[in-house]
Amino acid sequence: MGKEKKGIRLEHISKIYKDPKTKQDFYAVKDTNLSIEPGSFVTLLGPSGCGKTTTLRMIAGFESPDEGEIYLGEEAINELTPNKRDTAMVFQSYALLPHYNIFDNVAYGLKLRKLDKAEIRRKVTDILKLVGLEGMEERMTNQLSGGQQQRVALARALVLEPGVLLFDEPLSNLDAKLRVSMRTEIRRIQQEAGITAVYVTHDQSEAMAISDKIIIMEKGIVAQVGTPQEIYYHPVSEFVADFIGEANFLHGRVKSEKDGKAVIEIDGEQIEASQEGLKEGQDCTLVLRPEAAVISEEGQLPCRVVLSCFMGSYQNYHVMVGDTLVKITDFNPRNKKIYGEGDRARVAFDPENVHIL
Ligand code: ADP
Ligand code: MG
């Protein structure tokens, strides 16, 4: 459907704003380099205020960068106004025309482009089928549910056949259940339309479910770019590990290292880890995901159980390893020994299933 999938490149992009309180200039986005593959689904993820919307608005042309250059395909687009760019944006607020029906909302952009009537009808019909609103052309938009309004907003952007589709937290106004089903829908529609998508969210599970690649932002800076698995299993910092999923951090020191096999000392215990690039003598942090460990008689680290709670699919433990609280989700506990509060035991994990910072 889209004429051509386009990649996006940001080269040394910065945006400076003035803080309204302090009147000081600050970087909302600082020296950002990104390369987004044609046809891929990429998510900008990070806490509120980290610069996601600003980055997206610069791609769309609603803001202009103070430094750097943005490319759409091979074309430098800094000087182009939004309507001259091959992008379309889907907003959180939908921004539908309230006194128009679905057909006219979706047809609006095509009428501005002065397409003939038959072609408009054909394109709108095709798109409404794609987003699952077939046969609802005459319904007024103020009579629609939140999910339906979001589909109209999506159809209105897609009908213009942009090279790139931009989303700014499009599901924030929907209830939790609908958010989950709509994100699957958005992914399906993006794949069927074969379009490049850049999606902004602060919801890490949404980002993981929907993305080919995730860009983690922290205070205007790109903290990490990778597939959901790369980011989850190999976070580059405690910030990233903590933002994506849950993580325990155990501080220690590298005792020895040889051929990607290291021995780490944590709380007086020697622990094996498999990871390249560690240096003997360096301080380090072991990132242990709650589901990567179990509690048993054997294991690398001694612990004391401070909370033990049956959750059905898993036993939820909080244990102390020295002074550090470690959370463990022990899945399928049905036929396992259950430890209670006050018990002494050990934390066991596979050296392949931890990450060292
Ligand atoms: P996010 O979308 O990640 O929540 P934004 O990109 O909206 O973050 O904002 C990044 C930072 O820039 C925030 O500190 C925000 O307050 C500030 N900001 C955004 N827009 C403006 C503006 N027009 N003028 C001044 N500061 C702004
Ligand atoms: Mg935002």
Side-chain angles (χ1 to χ4, degrees):
M1 183 186 34
K3 304 150 290 184
E4 190 196 347
K5 301 175 191 178
K6 284 196 176 153
I8 305 165
R9 228 165 61 243
L10 271 60
E11 289 189 354
H12 301 289
I13 287 296
S14 296
K15 181 73 194 176
I16 299 165
Y17 284 131
K18 204 181 273 303
D19 187 303
K21 282 207 191 94
T22 63
K23 309 285 177 215
Q24 298 274 332
D25 282 351
F26 73 99
Y27 281 97
V29 174
K30 188 165 187 187
D31 197 18
T32 291
N33 295 296
L34 285 176
S35 182
I36 295 170
E37 294 286 315
S40 66
F41 199 115
V42 170
T43 299
L44 298 170
L45 175 68
S48 178
C50 70
K52 306 179 297 291
T53 294
T54 304
T55 305
L56 201 70
R57 288 173 62 84
M58 286 192 285
I59 297 172
F62 301 127
E63 297 284 352
S64 45
D66 292 302
E67 295 160 8
E69 191 66 60
I70 301 179
Y71 294 86
L72 197 60
E74 288 311 308
E75 188 187 12
I77 59 169
N78 282 25
E79 303 306 321
L80 299 183
T81 55
N83 60 345
K84 291 276 177 339
R85 300 186 183 197
D86 196 11
T87 58
M89 182 114 140
V90 180
F91 299 92
Q92 177 182 337
S93 57
Y94 318 131
L96 301 179
L97 304 165
H99 305 297
Y100 285 58
N101 64 23
I102 291 184
F103 183 92
D104 291 333
N105 262 277
V106 178
Y108 187 75
L110 298 178
K111 285 182 184 159
L112 290 183
R113 291 186 183 181
K114 307 222 181 330
L115 268 61
D116 73 62
K117 267 195 164 159
E119 197 179 359
I120 292 178
R121 179 149 296 275
R122 185 180 55 74
K123 283 184 191 259
V124 173
T125 307
D126 282 354
I127 290 293
L128 289 180
K129 198 188 253 174
L130 181 67
V131 301
L133 290 174
E134 220 176 344
M136 295 183 62
E137 288 80 354
E138 306 304 323
R139 290 276 286 277
M140 301 301 281
T141 49
N142 53 11
Q143 301 166 349
L144 302 176
S145 70
Q148 289 168 332
Q149 290 183 44
Q150 192 50 264
R151 285 170 202 267
V152 177
L154 188 55
R156 199 180 45 176
L158 279 167
V159 84
L160 302 172
E161 299 177 19
V164 174
L165 199 52
L166 307 170
F167 296 89
D168 194 358
E169 312 237 8
L171 305 181
S172 312
N173 288 337
L174 304 179
D175 66 57
K177 216 169 163 186
L178 196 55
R179 271 209 305 273
V180 170
S181 62
M182 272 305 283
R183 76 190 186 200
T184 315
E185 276 285 275
I186 287 179
R187 176 66 174 170
R188 174 188 66 78
I189 291 163
Q190 177 262 345
Q191 301 255 288
E192 278 184 34
I195 200 168
T196 311
V198 186
Y199 189 99
V200 164
T201 181
H202 64 275
D203 180 337
Q204 49 116 357
S205 51
E206 199 167 290
M208 283 207 262
I210 211 167
S211 315
D212 295 311
K213 284 216 173 134
I214 297 176
I215 297 159
I216 307 264
M217 293 186 68
E218 180 185 12
K219 295 184 187 149
I221 290 173
V222 173
Q224 188 168 4
V225 180
T227 64
Q229 289 87 346
E230 281 163 356
I231 291 190
Y232 191 79
Y233 294 132
H234 308 284
V236 297
S237 65
E238 289 194 25
F239 171 82
V240 173
D242 213 27
F243 200 79
I244 286 265
E246 264 207 85
N248 299 295
F249 301 112
L250 290 150
H251 300 285
R253 183 180 290 265
V254 179
K255 292 289 282 183
S256 66
E257 199 284 333
K258 193 165 186 288
D259 303 330
K261 299 274 179 212
V263 174
I264 291 167
E265 188 171 285
I266 293 173
D267 208 33
E269 303 283 323
Q270 312 261 317
I271 290 164
E272 285 176 27
S274 351
Q275 190 166 311
E276 304 282 336
L278 297 172
K279 289 196 184 61
E280 204 171 305
Q282 79 174 83
D283 288 334
C284 65
T285 302
L286 181 89
V287 181
L288 182 64
R289 296 291 187 188
E291 73 280 10
V294 294
I295 300 192
S296 75
E297 300 303 306
E298 322 256 296
Q300 291 95 325
L301 291 167
C303 70
R304 185 169 51 84
V305 177
V306 293
L307 176 109
S308 174
C309 185
F310 178 61
M311 302 298 289
S313 62
Y314 64 94
Q315 188 77 15
N316 183 27
Y317 289 111
H318 288 186
V319 304
M320 297 305 294
V321 174
D323 297 333
T324 309
L325 176 73
V326 174
K327 296 177 183 175
I328 293 172
T329 50
D330 196 347
F331 281 98
N332 199 12
R334 187 166 194 162
N335 295 313
K336 290 182 189 160
K337 171 170 177 179
I338 300 299
Y339 292 85
E341 282 153 38
D343 285 352
R344 293 194 177 268
R346 294 185 81 86
V347 178
F349 49 86
D350 184 338
E352 306 280 339
N353 287 346
V354 296
H355 181 70
I356 318 284
L357 293 173

